Amino acid sequence: MNQANDVGESTEPSRSQVRVGSRRLVNVVLWIFTLTTAGYFLHHGWVWFRNPPNLPEEQQRADGNNGHTQIDFGGQWVMGRMVVLGHGRELYHRQRQWQVVRASFPIADEAPANRYGLTDPSLFEDIFGLSRNDHAHDADNLMSWFMGRDPADWSQVGGAAVAPLMADPFGNPLLTAALLQASAESVSPEIVKAVESPAIGGPLYPPVHAFLYAPIGMIERPLIAYHAFQVFSVLMVLVAGLGVKVLSGGRIPWSVATLVLLLFPGTRGGLDLGQNPSLTLAIVIWGWALASRGYQVGGGMVWGLLAFKPVWGLAFFLVPVLTRRWRFCVAMVLTGCGLAAATLPFVGYQTWLDWLAVGREAAALYNVNFNWIHLSRDVQSIPRRILHDFTLHEPERDQPLTKTLAWALWGIILGVTAAVFLRYGDRRRWTGIGIAFLFFGAYLTCYRFMYYDALLIAIGCAVLFAEPSRFFRPRVFDPTPTQLSVLPPPTREIVAPWQVPNFLGPRMLGYVCSLPLTVLALLLLYENCLSGMDFRATLGVGYFGEVTIGPDGNTGRVTPRFQVDTGVNYPWETALAFILWVWCGWKLMNGVERTRSESVPSDRPL
């Protein structure tokens, strides 16, 4: 008999010890699963644009990957690269952009089919099986995606400069001399002045964004910078997950928060394209988390970093304004303005005016371009994707009715968000239904953004689920059928028949989870399953069909059809965010926070 039994002590572990051990084991398992998911997403983005293994050799890129040549990362890297090279005052000059882009995206990195330099697109289609849009060089593609256009005078000056280099193209010295004279005379002083004037264009990002990307721009090869930024984006998801833990007062574990953010809409798209939604989310979450801990000035300064994406800064500014957190607002505004002022010695005042010109051009294109409208997730694009006739030329698409409906929808959401919260919300809170209502409203009123920025819905979910136990208590109901007793004597009054429960018979129980939890599950399901499967459905209404006569004289019938799918062209994420916004607003109007605020004056995490 051992000593423990001699003194009467039990050798079995206590319940608290078992509980602590189980919690640690669960936490280890969760972290293993979370880090494995992060590694998988990083690997997925790393190889997403890699040469397919079955691609013919003449179509395989020499550098093996073209993710860095897309506008999503390439445009941002070019901005940072120009700052590093000292071209801050020419940040939106296409002449200087051409020099930087051509030097950074050499033809030697492209596929052999592109390096051959064939000028006839049909040869690419016939010989190499490429489409007519695939034969352009990386630099040409990137510059064509930038805002602005090269003036036509550039080609005239270029032809005049090349003409003297031609070795007697006609075999007639007199004719060649006449060509040289005509080329020289075609370059008039007006044309020279037009060529020397800067052609304004480039990516949509402000100068603050260029300085933020300067560390990435210091990497000379954009492909290496692209992969480095993908690693940085995964780290930002981890940082944002830690912010969710702080914001919830530890009620949401770091591993769980990170895992949900990895699976959230927008994370994978941002990683694949080298975009920055995870950085934006980390800024928003940590700014609000710091403020909830009592560091309102520090939180506002963190939100001031949104100067690199002003549309989100303006959208989320609605939250501290309506909650009357003025120190937060002042710190945010001063930080943003300070960052903008800090760029002036390097870029000058004119560069900011050039950026506004680029923004105006982009806003006009955004209203009519098929690709931008269908890849966007802002509410103003919804009427345009429905009412635009995309068979028309772009300048003819945007009609007054469409503009009115787009701004009316935006204004209604903004007005309802402000009115409902000011009337029913509790501005002292940092988390909960009211603050989530504000964040969802801010998301829905953002002016312009793409599908990968749907990740910003997560901040509304973070403050809504900061007390997760409230949403994990399902409603239980009993759908068990019961026997009907003998009907009572007929009377003039209609009464329900008596029911006799069968206590010894089988019983059925039904469970209904909360609507926010259901919507969160749908967001994760859509991103990680339905979107990739690209389910499609077409609805035709034969009643509105029309009889048509073809060119050959035969008659036919055309039925209007409405097609939807789960691909990237439909804003399902925004629709689900709208449902959460409506639910939060409805709960507020039913007094959920007024009732709770009587006993709980503040929900600041401990």
Side-chain angles (χ1 to χ4, degrees):
M1 188 175 295
N2 57 31
Q3 183 178 2
N5 288 336
D6 289 340
V7 297
E9 295 180 357
S10 174
T11 58
E12 297 181 359
S14 64
R15 288 186 178 181
S16 61
Q17 291 174 326
V18 173
R19 205 160 39 240
V20 170
S22 301
R23 188 182 301 115
R24 288 177 178 173
L25 177 61
V26 170
N27 193 39
V28 169
V29 172
L30 283 173
W31 268 117
I32 292 175
F33 192 69
T34 298
L35 295 178
T36 301
T37 304
Y40 169 76
F41 279 178
L42 178 59
H43 176 266
H44 182 276
W46 199 283
V47 303
W48 182 247
F49 288 99
R50 186 174 291 179
N51 289 331
N54 58 346
L55 197 66
E57 183 177 354
E58 64 272 7
Q59 297 181 25
Q60 294 198 16
R61 293 181 58 89
D63 57 7
N65 195 305
N66 69 338
H68 61 292
T69 68
Q70 308 299 314
I71 180 63
D72 299 277
F73 176 80
Q76 299 179 90
W77 180 86
V78 168
M79 298 283 286
R81 185 64 178 171
M82 291 188 67
V83 169
V84 171
L85 296 177
H87 303 316
R89 295 183 180 272
E90 302 168 298
L91 207 55
Y92 302 99
H93 293 185
R94 288 182 62 87
Q95 292 98 321
R96 187 64 67 186
Q97 291 166 3
W98 270 112
Q99 295 179 6
V100 174
V101 169
R102 283 199 175 113
S104 304
F105 296 86
I107 297 177
D109 290 343
E110 301 173 5
N114 294 71
R115 296 201 304 269
Y116 289 156
L118 300 179
T119 57
D120 185 1
S122 63
L123 296 178
F124 286 85
E125 190 170 9
D126 298 337
I127 300 176
F128 300 113
L130 300 176
S131 68
R132 293 174 179 266
N133 295 325
D134 290 334
H135 73 280
H137 297 302
D138 295 338
D140 299 330
N141 284 330
L142 199 57
M143 290 299 299
S144 69
W145 290 326
F146 288 177
M147 291 292 103
R149 290 293 176 265
D150 299 331
D153 297 330
W154 288 10
S155 59
Q156 186 171 351
V157 173
V162 172
L165 303 179
M166 302 174 65
D168 198 7
F170 303 108
N172 186 333
L174 296 179
L175 189 57
T176 300
L179 171 64
L180 296 178
Q181 182 65 25
S183 300
E185 293 177 354
S186 66
V187 183
S188 63
E190 292 78 11
I191 293 179
V192 173
K193 182 178 180 181
V195 171
E196 292 177 348
S197 300
I200 304 302
L204 307 179
Y205 311 104
V208 173
H209 184 285
F211 279 84
L212 185 67
Y213 267 71
I216 297 295
M218 296 176 66
I219 302 176
E220 186 174 357
R221 290 198 62 191
L223 177 58
I224 298 177
Y226 168 66
H227 289 319
F229 190 81
Q230 288 177 316
V231 175
F232 174 77
S233 297
V234 173
L235 294 178
M236 285 297 100
V237 176
L238 290 169
V239 171
L242 180 59
V244 173
K245 177 186 176 181
V246 174
L247 187 59
S248 65
R251 289 184 288 267
I252 300 179
W254 185 8
S255 57
V256 174
T258 304
L259 179 60
V260 172
L261 292 179
L262 286 169
L263 299 174
F264 210 84
T267 299
R268 189 182 60 197
L271 284 175
D272 293 345
L273 296 171
Q275 267 291 350
N276 50 42
S278 59
L279 173 60
T280 309
L281 179 65
I283 291 174
V284 177
I285 286 180
W286 269 104
W288 198 248
L290 288 174
S292 70
R293 291 284 183 164
Y295 304 101
Q296 292 201 40
V297 174
M301 294 176 66
V302 172
W303 273 29
L305 297 176
L306 293 176
F308 91 102
K309 295 188 78 170
V311 291
W312 285 114
L314 291 174
F316 286 124
F317 192 63
L318 179 72
V319 179
V321 167
L322 292 182
T323 54
R324 304 177 191 176
R325 293 181 167 95
W326 306 123
R327 287 188 298 167
F328 188 102
C329 294
V330 172
M332 178 182 176
V333 172
L334 291 180
T335 301
C337 293
L339 291 175
T343 66
L344 291 177
F346 304 95
V347 303
Y349 176 72
Q350 182 60 41
T351 300
W352 281 92
L353 298 181
D354 295 340
W355 170 67
L356 292 177
V358 171
R360 285 192 296 268
E361 180 184 352
L365 182 63
Y366 202 108
N367 293 335
V368 296
N369 183 263
F370 177 90
N371 192 53
W372 282 26
I373 289 176
H374 285 79
L375 293 180
S376 65
R377 293 297 183 265
D378 56 275
V379 296
Q380 290 199 28
S381 68
I382 295 176
R384 292 188 169 95
R385 70 173 65 229
I386 296 174
L387 299 178
H388 274 359
D389 183 0
F390 291 101
T391 63
L392 300 175
H393 296 293
E394 286 188 348
E396 303 172 0
R397 292 175 185 172
D398 205 15
Q399 302 298 322
L401 175 62
T402 311
K403 292 181 181 179
T404 302
L405 291 176
W407 281 106
L409 181 59
W410 179 88
I412 289 172
I413 294 176
L414 177 62
V416 170
T417 301
V420 171
F421 183 83
L422 291 176
R423 176 65 178 84
Y424 300 100
D426 185 357
R427 65 180 182 84
R428 297 170 297 176
R429 295 179 176 274
W430 295 95
T431 60
I433 292 177
I435 300 301
F437 178 69
L438 283 184
F439 274 107
F440 290 132
Y443 171 86
L444 293 172
T445 54
C446 187
Y447 180 58
R448 294 282 193 267
F449 61 96
M450 292 284 114
Y451 66 95
Y452 40 75
D453 279 327
L455 181 58
L456 275 298
I457 300 174
I459 178 60
C461 294
V463 297
L464 180 61
F465 291 97
E467 298 179 27
S469 59
R470 298 176 55 194
F471 300 96
F472 283 89
R473 292 193 293 265
R475 295 181 181 178
V476 183
F477 63 94
D478 186 1
T480 305
T482 57
Q483 294 181 346
L484 296 180
S485 67
V486 179
L487 294 177
T491 60
R492 299 180 62 87
E493 182 181 0
I494 300 177
V495 295
W498 299 339
Q499 297 181 347
V500 180
N502 185 4
F503 294 102
L504 299 179
R507 295 189 62 193
M508 293 188 300
L509 293 178
Y511 297 88
V512 178
C513 64
S514 63
L515 178 64
L517 191 61
T518 303
V519 174
L520 177 61
L522 288 175
L523 283 167
L524 302 183
L525 179 65
Y526 166 76
E527 173 68 10
N528 299 282
C529 182
L530 300 180
S531 178
M533 292 185 176
D534 196 12
F535 289 105
R536 299 186 180 186
T538 302
L539 176 65
V541 184
Y543 178 81
F544 297 103
E546 296 181 355
V547 177
T548 61
I549 301 177
D552 55 358
N554 295 327
T555 59
R557 186 175 181 84
V558 177
T559 301
R561 289 177 171 83
F562 176 71
Q563 180 177 344
V564 295
D565 60 58
T566 61
V568 74
N569 285 328
Y570 286 87
W572 298 114
E573 308 97 327
T574 298
L576 294 172
F578 182 80
I579 293 174
L580 290 174
W581 176 75
V582 171
W583 183 87
C584 292
W586 176 258
K587 287 294 184 179
L588 278 182
M589 290 188 291
N590 280 275
V592 63
E593 285 203 343
R594 290 204 309 271
T595 303
R596 289 173 56 85
S597 62
E598 294 175 358
S599 57
V600 184
S602 176
D603 66 343
R604 178 179 298 178
L606 300 177

